[in-house]
Amino acid sequence: MNTKRRTFLKGTLAGSAVAVAVGAGLLNPRQALAATWPKSAFDSKDVAGALQGLFNTDLTIPSADIDIRAPDIAENGAVVPVTISTKMKGVSSVSLIVEKNPNPLAAVFNLASNTLPDVSTRVKMGKTSNVIAIVKVGDKTYSARKEVKVTIGGCGG
Amino acid sequence: MSDTIKIRATVNGDICTVKSLIKHPMETGQRKDKKTGKIIPAHFIQEVNCEHNGKNVLNADWGVAISKNPYLSFEFTGAKPGDKVTLSWSDNKGEKDSITTQIS
């Protein structure tokens, strides 16, 4: 009985979150729980859900000032080097999303004020997909994307 | 000393570049064991923290999409040779490790 009630609550929350989020932006649970791992964002199966979980909105401003360095063609999807950098000032976080992965959100880097917005890491990519970089400056989120072609997938091996 | 983390921090002018390699399986929870056909449970690093002289400079949240044996590099300002840089990680099974190095 009780467990059913839980699932019901979860279902309604998930459904209403999308509808509410368009007009939201007032409340930000991420700020209140800054030190915890954003589970809902990482568990999300689509890009919009990941953005909702992180920023409470899936609207981002496309920006030409974000530089994504990744190979055009990755021979091995298990190890794709990606560097995200930008010249923007006051960047508080840099997020990395692989659009067509089962869980698109790969990483969120929260930066201190003296940390430069220039991070590199290596990600797994299941198939050819866009790599999306999200840069948060103040309360605005900027995005850029770059397609990486994958010849051997990194998932399922 | 840490068995799982290799780190190098170098300073050029005012900017410190931190490069690190962490030894970790980064299991996604989506792969199947070929012999048993069972799904291998997820085992991945969730949080990576870096401190410079005790002050937090980077706090990264990672998902399963980060490659096995993760590589991470980033830069921060306000550093000088001899400063201490500490890098630590923790994964979804509660395992953790950390290392402290001096900027050269």
Side-chain angles (χ1 to χ4, degrees):
Chain A
M1 173 63 199
N2 214 5
T3 49
K4 271 187 184 163
R5 186 170 170 271
R6 272 302 116 196
T7 13
F8 172 69
L9 280 175
K10 266 188 198 162
T12 44
L13 276 177
S16 62
V18 181
V20 171
V22 181
L26 296 168
L27 287 166
N28 192 344
R30 177 86 181 116
Q31 278 174 349
L33 307 162
T36 59
W37 192 69
K39 190 173 188 312
S40 65
F42 278 105
D43 283 349
S44 166
K45 303 248 182 273
D46 54 50
V47 176
L51 292 175
Q52 289 287 0
L54 283 180
F55 309 117
N56 248 2
T57 169
D58 56 1
L59 296 174
T60 56
I61 307 161
S63 167
D65 293 334
I66 303 169
D67 186 22
I68 305 175
R69 284 197 297 281
D72 294 328
I73 297 174
E75 281 183 19
N76 183 357
V79 187
V80 183
V82 179
T83 299
I84 301 171
S85 61
T86 175
K87 292 208 164 61
M88 286 185 224
K89 300 270 184 239
V91 176
S92 59
S93 84
V94 175
S95 307
L96 175 58
I97 292 173
V98 182
E99 194 175 356
K100 289 194 180 140
N101 268 6
N103 303 109
L105 183 61
V108 182
F109 299 94
N110 298 302
L111 311 179
S113 54
N114 64 331
T115 309
L116 302 175
D118 186 338
V119 291
S120 307
T121 188
R122 298 194 292 224
V123 295
K124 295 172 205 160
M125 290 180 67
K127 55 185 166 187
T128 298
S129 161
N130 278 325
V131 172
I132 305 174
I134 311 285
V135 171
K136 189 163 192 284
V137 181
D139 55 358
K140 291 197 169 64
T141 48
Y142 298 92
S143 67
R145 57 187 65 209
K146 173 180 167 58
E147 192 189 46
V148 177
K149 285 193 164 60
V150 176
T151 47
I152 308 170
C155 301
Chain B
M1 279 303 282
S2 159
D3 292 335
T4 63
I5 310 174
K6 278 184 191 165
I7 188 169
R8 183 178 295 161
T10 50
V11 70
N12 185 359
D14 189 35
I15 297 172
C16 175
T17 306
V18 180
K19 291 183 178 175
S20 63
L21 268 174
I22 305 170
K23 210 167 119 190
H24 198 279
M26 295 303 281
E27 203 55 70
T28 61
Q30 287 164 356
R31 277 181 349 126
K32 277 185 183 165
D33 190 317
K34 277 182 183 141
K35 283 179 193 148
T36 62
K38 283 187 184 149
I39 287 173
I40 305 169
H43 184 201
F44 60 99
I45 294 176
Q46 287 187 312
E47 285 185 37
V48 180
N49 274 294
C50 190
E51 289 180 352
H52 165 235
N53 282 350
K55 186 179 163 289
N56 208 4
V57 286
L58 181 89
N59 170 322
D61 297 322
W62 283 357
V64 293
I66 298 292
S67 297
K68 182 179 173 180
N69 298 334
Y71 167 78
L72 169 69
S73 94
F74 67 98
E75 296 175 331
F76 66 90
T77 58
K80 57 182 187 300
D83 284 0
K84 280 194 177 132
V85 170
T86 303
L87 190 93
S88 58
W89 61 261
S90 63
D91 69 20
N92 65 327
K93 290 189 180 173
E95 292 168 20
K96 57 180 102 175
D97 201 358
S98 73
I99 193 171
T100 301
T101 188
Q102 282 194 334
I103 297 174
S104 59

